[in-house]
Amino acid sequence: MMNEKEGAAGNAPKRFIPRLISWNMTFRCNLRCPHCYIDAKERAARDELSTEEGKMLIDQIAEVSKPILILSGGEPLLRDDVYELARYATAKGLIVAMGTNGTLITESVASELKASSVKAVAISLDSAIPERHDAFRGVEGAWRDAMAGIAACRSHGIDVQVNTTVTQQNFDEIDDIMALAEREGASGFHLFFLVPTGRGVEIEDISAEKYEQMITDVLEKIANSTYKLDIRPVCAPQFMRIASQMGLNLERWSRGCIAGLTYCRVYPTGEITPCPYLPVKLGNVREAQFKDIWFQSPILKALRDPDNLEGKCGICEYRTICGGCRARAYGLTSFVDFCGGLHEPEDLKGDYLAEEPWCPYVPQGGNKAIF
């Protein structure tokens, strides 16, 4: 539902155009999730982009391409101008979606989202069991309200995608969550794998072997058409390698890691980063044009050449279709701040080109075409 293919092959710099942009509109949130990558709080920061600055951002993005713009947070529905900005982005030709915890979506909110031309809403569910979801999200009733939000969106004709982050606690109930999502009318399901950034540095991740097992299990469900859901593993780019090994048709997905290739993130205060989980400043739209940041950033240029990858990723025959998670490589070769702050390019804390730490595959060498 919120996937976009990479640009066509070629050597021109504009081969890499943004197809998907996630805008963290605010630090403010009504939940207290332990894996929050920007360490969202109860209050907004004073220097978040204003309404007019948000429109300026949209104008700058529209000069480069007409991507899917995901309005996220924190909790984007806590911004009073969220509908105004959604309408503005739509008028500029962008496809607007929203990433939310779902707890604030009532029938009237869903009606306003529809009227604002929000095409799809991604709602997070961490368990099929209400008490487990509430315990993880830190607020009693969060599961009930998220489910009501899904129902409200569906009743107003808004596509729903369910997002689930795999943890030690819910590893054995992912199938139950997918089944629940399908019963509730969701059209998509994105299975996120933990990246150590923000508050996520405090969570003990599942093992590399469990990553491999979970990805394989999910891909088998796709191969067997167990669900009608559009399913994609996220922050686990090795799924492309596993899908290739299983003989699946790769054309339904883009490259495993798209950070800086066709995807980037806008921080609440205007900084651009390669993705929400790679906390490296590329520039700020208050100080530079988005197009200049996107096309001229040395870090983005480095990410766009698979021959720059290090360790086993650099010699892997699947590097052009996988790429390894650049955020996890950075996070596990550095000290990433618990507070979710950003790092200056001249003072990087880790190596974003290092090998994917959570991939057990031993490369055989050679090259492999994208498709």
Side-chain angles (χ1 to χ4, degrees), residues 253-311:
W253 301 292
S254 62
R255 185 178 187 265
C257 181
I258 58 174
L261 282 71
T262 58
Y263 178 46
C264 68
R265 180 267 296 267
V266 183
Y267 204 60
T269 48
E271 290 87 0
I272 306 298
T273 74
C275 84
Y277 305 97
L278 183 48
V280 178
K281 295 180 183 180
L282 306 176
N284 192 309
V285 295
R286 284 170 165 156
E287 302 165 357
Q289 292 290 305
F290 175 81
K291 65 181 178 182
D292 294 332
I293 298 170
W294 178 262
F295 289 119
Q296 302 303 323
S297 165
I299 291 174
L300 294 187
K301 289 180 180 180
L303 287 171
R304 291 165 186 167
D305 185 353
D307 290 338
N308 288 328
L309 297 177
E310 301 167 358

Side-chain angles (χ1 to χ4, degrees), residues 17-124:
I17 63 172
R19 308 283 186 179
L20 187 67
I21 296 177
S22 180
W23 177 13
N24 294 135
M25 304 182 77
T26 179
F27 290 106
R28 188 181 177 196
C29 190
N30 59 322
L31 300 185
R32 297 185 291 275
C33 309
H35 64 320
C36 182
Y37 58 82
I38 65 168
D39 191 24
K41 306 287 188 181
E42 292 183 7
R43 296 182 180 180
R46 278 182 284 183
D47 55 348
E48 293 175 2
L49 294 181
S50 66
T51 303
E52 291 309 309
E53 287 175 322
K55 291 179 179 179
M56 175 194 70
L57 166 68
I58 292 165
D59 289 341
Q60 292 185 17
I61 291 171
E63 288 182 6
V64 178
S65 67
K66 301 295 190 290
I68 296 171
L69 178 64
I70 303 174
L71 306 179
S72 183
E75 175 48 57
L77 288 170
L78 289 173
R79 273 193 69 137
D80 294 336
D81 59 359
V82 65
Y83 305 121
E84 179 181 353
L85 289 167
R87 289 192 295 269
Y88 188 84
T90 298
K92 290 292 181 175
L94 279 61
I95 301 169
V96 181
M98 179 174 286
T100 170
N101 59 47
T103 61
L104 302 178
I105 303 179
T106 60
E107 289 292 333
S108 62
V109 168
S111 177
E112 190 66 43
L113 289 171
K114 183 70 173 181
S116 303
S117 298
V118 173
K119 302 298 184 185
V121 172
I123 294 177
S124 299

Side-chain angles (χ1 to χ4, degrees), residues 147-283:
M147 295 301 292
I150 292 174
C153 287
R154 295 300 305 122
S155 70
H156 288 271
I158 301 173
D159 278 348
V160 172
Q161 173 183 293
V162 167
N163 290 347
T164 297
T165 299
V166 183
T167 64
Q168 299 275 10
Q169 290 71 33
N170 68 6
F171 183 86
D172 293 327
E173 60 168 318
I174 298 301
D175 198 54
D176 293 337
I177 301 172
M178 283 194 282
L180 174 63
E182 185 157 282
R183 286 197 305 271
E184 294 299 317
S187 57
F189 182 83
H190 279 196
L191 187 62
F192 284 73
F193 290 77
L194 190 68
V195 178
T197 188
R199 293 201 290 258
V201 301
E202 298 294 305
I203 297 179
E204 182 181 357
D205 203 355
I206 61 176
S207 66
E209 291 71 27
K210 281 194 170 185
Y211 263 63
E212 195 89 352
Q213 176 190 334
M214 176 59 67
I215 294 169
T216 302
D217 289 348
V218 168
L219 291 176
E220 285 177 349
K221 289 177 173 60
I222 294 172
N224 297 327
S225 299
T226 305
Y227 298 104
K228 297 178 182 178
L229 296 165
D230 178 19
I231 300 173
R232 177 189 169 96
V234 180
C235 301
Q238 59 266 48
F239 87 87
M240 290 291 282
R241 183 255 306 166
I242 298 172
S244 179
Q245 292 171 325
M246 294 172 63
L248 299 183
N249 182 2
L250 303 184
E251 292 184 357
R252 66 186 298 163
W253 301 292
S254 62
R255 185 178 187 265
C257 181
I258 58 174
L261 282 71
T262 58
Y263 178 46
C264 68
R265 180 267 296 267
V266 183
Y267 204 60
T269 48
E271 290 87 0
I272 306 298
T273 74
C275 84
Y277 305 97
L278 183 48
V280 178
K281 295 180 183 180
L282 306 176

